[in-house]
Amino acid sequence: MRKTRSEKFLTPVNAVMGGYDREDNISYGDHPAMVYDEFPVNDNKSPIVMFWHGGGWTTGNKDMYRFMGHMLQKLGAHTLIIGHPLYSEQTFPGFIKDAHLAIGHVQKKYPGRKIFGMGHSAGGHTAVISSLTMKEGLDGVISISTPCTLSERHWKHVFGSSFNDKLHDPRTYIRVAKNRPKFMLLHGALDYTVSIKDSISLNRKLEKSGFESQLQILKFVDHFTILPLLAFGPLYATRRRIKHFLFANH
């Protein structure tokens, strides 16, 4: 099978990161893809980060993003890299239902802990919508290159009838949110895969509705380089901001 651009880019990234302190393939549901890798820390009061991977809902897997688990673990966050069924085994809004199932599993496993969602691209889309549609769900979300404006021509097969009522757009859920998480939105200035306008608009609508939200536009960064640059590249200030976002009032 031909590798996607993300697979070609991220496979060697994982290889150079070295070993990980982790437990693999922990189940949270009855589908074989409903598993996660856990990157623990010694502090049993540390925040938990649930990371959903990208891939346009049709490609990608949690194994490609273990370097993100390692990075967040080094920041002191107990991290879970979430796997889930892809299209065509799943479609929208099934991705959100799967995410709710994973969040509920983690809440039961770690009662009383702060839980944050984090995701890149399609994974950011899942994290944002899940955070707004689940009562007593996530405490915060780190959204990375999250799409809001999607082409019906390209994504009709994944989203179906939601193109008629904008249920596919994360901004739709802000006014009717069941939860009030805080948000950090990250987007590369050179991202030509997902328009930077999507994060700008999402941040504006969140702030207008009274949510705590911050937007960071990263110079010289595109859709594919943003994650490895966050993990072990020169974005030191952004990593510090992520740590502060997770550990504020800890």
Side-chain angles (χ1 to χ4, degrees):
M1 182 180 294
R2 186 177 180 181
K3 288 186 176 181
T4 65
R5 184 177 177 185
S6 291
E7 288 174 311
K8 290 178 180 178
F9 193 79
L10 296 179
T11 298
V13 170
N14 274 302
V16 302
M17 289 295 287
Y20 307 92
D21 178 15
R22 70 172 194 262
E23 183 178 355
D24 293 344
N25 299 320
I26 303 169
S27 176
Y28 66 87
D30 56 8
H31 190 284
M34 290 180 172
V35 291
Y36 60 89
D37 293 347
E38 187 161 13
F39 295 74
V41 295
N42 292 328
D43 182 0
N44 61 10
K45 295 183 180 180
S46 67
I48 294 172
V49 178
M50 302 177 67
F51 181 91
W52 281 272
H53 67 78
W57 300 277
T58 61
T59 65
N61 61 75
K62 64 177 177 56
D63 298 352
M64 295 165 52
Y65 296 83
R66 286 173 172 159
F67 68 93
M68 289 298 294
H70 185 55
M71 182 271 283
L72 291 162
Q73 187 183 52
K74 287 176 66 177
L75 293 181
H78 189 116
T79 306
L80 314 175
I81 307 298
I82 310 297
H84 60 86
L86 302 173
Y87 178 84
S88 61
E89 290 187 275
Q90 187 59 283
T91 57
F92 185 87
F95 301 110
I96 307 305
K97 294 178 181 178
D98 292 346
H100 285 178
L101 183 65
I103 294 167
H105 166 88
V106 174
Q107 288 173 329
K108 290 179 180 179
K109 186 174 181 179
Y110 297 104
R113 298 276 287 274
K114 284 192 173 182
I115 302 174
F116 292 82
M118 184 176 187
H120 173 245
S121 196
H125 183 276
T126 295
V128 171
I129 295 181
S130 297
S131 74
L132 296 171
T133 55
M134 187 175 184
K135 189 176 181 181
E136 299 179 358
L138 299 171
D139 293 284
V141 175
I142 300 174
S143 157
I144 306 172
S145 311
T146 294
C148 292
T149 306
L150 296 163
S151 163
E152 183 172 5
R153 181 168 66 89
H154 288 112
W155 299 110
K156 176 75 172 178
H157 60 295
V158 174
F159 291 92
S161 61
S162 73
F163 273 97
N164 299 322
D165 48 28
K166 294 189 180 298
L167 290 179
H168 63 284
D169 189 333
R171 295 168 295 191
T172 299
Y173 300 89
I174 295 173
R175 290 178 59 188
V176 294
K178 296 181 179 180
N179 191 24
R180 305 289 293 186
K182 62 180 182 177
F183 287 86
M184 170 184 280
L185 312 182
L186 306 177
H187 213 116
L190 301 181
D191 191 336
Y192 301 111
T193 302
V194 174
S195 173
I196 194 171
K197 294 179 181 178
D198 282 12
S199 285
I200 293 171
S201 174
L202 178 59
N203 182 67
R204 184 182 299 120
K205 289 183 180 295
L206 284 166
E207 290 185 331
K208 187 175 181 180
S209 295
F211 284 83
E212 179 184 340
S213 182
Q214 55 180 289
L215 171 65
Q216 295 181 44
I217 298 172
L218 307 177
K219 296 180 180 180
F220 312 115
V221 175
D222 66 19
H223 193 73
F224 298 97
T225 59
I226 190 167
L227 290 186
L229 290 176
L230 275 176
F232 56 87
L235 299 177
Y236 307 109
T238 304
R239 284 196 291 275
R240 288 194 297 269
R241 292 188 187 106
I242 290 174
K243 184 171 183 176
H244 182 267
F245 180 83
L246 295 173
F247 284 87
N249 303 318
H250 177 56

